[in-house]
Amino acid sequence: MPKVKETEILIVGGGPAGLSAASAAANLGASVLVLERDGKPGGQLIKQTHKFFGSKKQYAGDRGYQIGDLLIEQCRNNPNLEVWTDTTVLGIYEDGVVTAEGQGKHLKITPKKIIVATGASEKMIAFPNNDLPGIYGAGAVQTLMNVHGIVPGKRVLMIGAGNIGLIVSYQLMQAGVEIAAIIEAAPTIGGYLVHASKIRRAGVPILTSHTITEAYGDEGVEGAIICKLDESWQPVLGSEQDLKVDVVCLAVGLSPLTELCFQADCQMKYVPELSGHVPVRSEYLETTRPGLYVAGDVSGVEEASSAMVEGRLAGISAACSLGYGEDIAPKLQAEALAELSELRAGPAGQKTLRGIINLMDKGGVVC
């Protein structure tokens, strides 16, 4: 690796959004460098074994890891594109210099445009003994099982009935792990009912309006106390249940990883519908810092399908701003925006749209 690297477009994060952005920009002729902190690009896709929904354009019917491999192959075969793995971005500075650490070296990159596609981190919830060994985030459980082939335990309490909680529960069951229950604080299941139906057919209870009050155990999780919640989200006295489990898995949502956007002095807004603080940006995903774009969960938590389309939109927009593909970029941008509208057409997507409108109303720059 050179100590100083010049590139036209630097992409921070090699997940579904970052890889899609890289291919789109490089296909228009821009020189692109992707920095990925893990040893293999692909992000969350590499541990997703379930099949995707949607249309053929969003790889419907393919499994997450297959889509990840396809995106990696597209990048590998593009002469305009480099991917540096095991490389962590440290900062984006006023003069446009980006610093990173890779293979024990301090690196400087001077890009003309930057796309931040850092994704999101798992949320945690507070309850007594939530630091016991045996308490995991759902993403960590997926990594253990689907990347390393290790089951986290024998009997699991899943907290959260969104898509992640339901999918990971089913994957645990496929691996021979018993699911004691799935509990959800909200009065309704948040994930797709097709996922919930598979769980229920296997005899696993999904308890809505329930929460965990504590975990217990000496050197690791031995059990958990759960209880029912009333209409005011308060515990119902006498409704406690003691579940003997050796794993508590938390699937309670994600938070956008926006530290670099804060550090780069992007204008930020807290938008609950987008799961936290996100950068104000234009329709074409350029932030209030000129030349810095965002894509994927860092701009608001959604499904991987939306992240890939946002990545493509950001890549096209960044390349076009450098003069590449000016004849076809508007058409490609319009197609990506139409795809995003389709993906956000359902009930879950309406929440995202409200968040984006809220964000734009608070100062978003629209191209």
Side-chain angles (χ1 to χ4, degrees), residues 49-71:
T49 59
H50 60 280
K51 291 183 178 181
F52 274 45
F53 295 132
S55 67
K56 192 172 182 179
K57 290 182 292 187
Q58 286 93 43
Y59 307 102
D62 289 334
R63 300 184 187 276
Y65 71 90
Q66 294 172 324
I67 299 169
D69 288 342
L70 177 61
L71 295 178

Side-chain angles (χ1 to χ4, degrees), residues 32 84 146 227 290-291:
V32 180
W84 292 358
N146 299 341
C227 75

Side-chain angles (χ1 to χ4, degrees), residues 49 141 145-146 151-156 158 165-182 195-206:
T49 59
V141 168
M145 291 200 305
N146 299 341
V151 293
K154 297 179 179 179
R155 195 165 194 257
V156 175
M158 178 65 69
L166 297 172
I167 288 170
V168 174
S169 292
Y170 191 70
Q171 291 173 353
L172 283 162
M173 293 162 60
Q174 288 178 308
V177 178
E178 182 183 357
I179 306 296
I182 300 173
H195 296 315
S197 296
K198 290 192 297 184
I199 298 291
R200 282 178 162 156
R201 282 198 300 269
V204 175
I206 302 177

Side-chain angles (χ1 to χ4, degrees), residues 6-18:
E6 293 183 359
T7 188
E8 290 183 310
I9 300 176
L10 173 67
I11 299 176
V12 184

Side-chain angles (χ1 to χ4, degrees), residues 45-345:
L45 292 174
I46 67 171
K47 56 190 177 186
Q48 293 182 344
T49 59
H50 60 280
K51 291 183 178 181
F52 274 45
F53 295 132
S55 67
K56 192 172 182 179
K57 290 182 292 187
Q58 286 93 43
Y59 307 102
D62 289 334
R63 300 184 187 276
Y65 71 90
Q66 294 172 324
I67 299 169
D69 288 342
L70 177 61
L71 295 178
I72 292 168
E73 195 62 27
Q74 289 174 351
C75 290
R76 184 178 291 127
N77 293 333
N78 198 309
N80 297 326
L81 204 163
E82 291 182 79
V83 179
W84 292 358
T85 56
D86 294 311
T87 304
T88 301
V89 172
L90 304 175
I92 300 172
Y93 298 96
E94 292 180 3
D95 59 1
V97 172
V98 177
T99 61
E101 186 276 326
Q103 298 182 5
K105 298 177 181 178
H106 186 260
L107 308 167
K108 286 187 178 181
I109 302 101
T110 54
K112 294 179 180 178
K113 305 291 178 179
I114 300 170
I115 300 174
V116 176
T118 45
S121 62
E122 293 191 277
K123 291 181 179 178
M124 299 293 287
I125 55 175
F127 55 89
N129 299 318
N130 69 350
D131 58 349
L132 277 173
I135 295 178
Y136 296 89
V141 168
Q142 277 192 309
T143 300
L144 276 175
M145 291 200 305
N146 299 341
V147 178
H148 301 293
I150 300 170
V151 293
K154 297 179 179 179
R155 195 165 194 257
V156 175
L157 168 64
M158 178 65 69
I159 302 176
N163 281 328
I164 294 177
L166 297 172
I167 288 170
V168 174
S169 292
Y170 191 70
Q171 291 173 353
L172 283 162
M173 293 162 60
Q174 288 178 308
V177 178
E178 182 183 357
I179 306 296
I182 300 173
I183 63 172
E184 168 61 54
T188 57
I189 294 169
Y192 296 138
L193 293 182
V194 65
H195 296 315
S197 296
K198 290 192 297 184
I199 298 291
R200 282 178 162 156
R201 282 198 300 269
V204 175
I206 302 177
L207 307 175
T208 55
S209 296
H210 277 72
T211 191
I212 182 172
T213 60
E214 67 172 300
Y216 62 86
D218 291 329
E219 297 182 0
V221 172
E222 297 175 10
I225 307 298
I226 65 172
C227 75
K228 189 173 178 59
L229 297 174
D230 63 21
E231 294 179 355
S232 301
W233 297 68
Q234 297 302 306
V236 176
L237 294 178
S239 67
E240 296 84 0
Q241 297 182 55
D242 184 348
L243 299 180
K244 303 300 181 184
V245 295
D246 59 353
V247 172
V248 175
C249 185
L250 302 176
V252 292
L254 303 170
S255 296
L257 278 169
T258 52
E259 291 88 347
L260 284 175
C261 296
F262 274 105
Q263 194 262 337
D265 203 27
C266 299
Q267 183 183 348
M268 307 293 292
K269 296 292 182 183
Y270 182 79
V271 183
E273 296 91 342
L274 300 179
S275 299
H277 283 92
V278 292
V280 174
R281 71 279 189 167
S282 74
E283 185 179 18
Y284 301 112
L285 303 177
E286 186 174 16
T287 68
T288 55
R289 173 167 171 157
L292 192 151
Y293 299 77
V294 289
D297 283 351
V298 69
S299 67
V301 174
E302 293 187 79
E303 298 291 329
S305 298
S306 298
M308 288 185 282
V309 180
E310 278 200 343
R312 192 165 80 244
L313 177 60
I316 294 164
S317 301
C320 183
S321 72
L322 294 171
Y324 293 101
E326 291 178 310
D327 54 337
I328 60 170
K331 179 177 181 292
L332 296 175
Q333 287 173 317
E335 289 173 352
L337 289 169
E339 279 187 58
L340 286 171
S341 295
E342 290 175 10
L343 288 168
R344 294 164 178 165

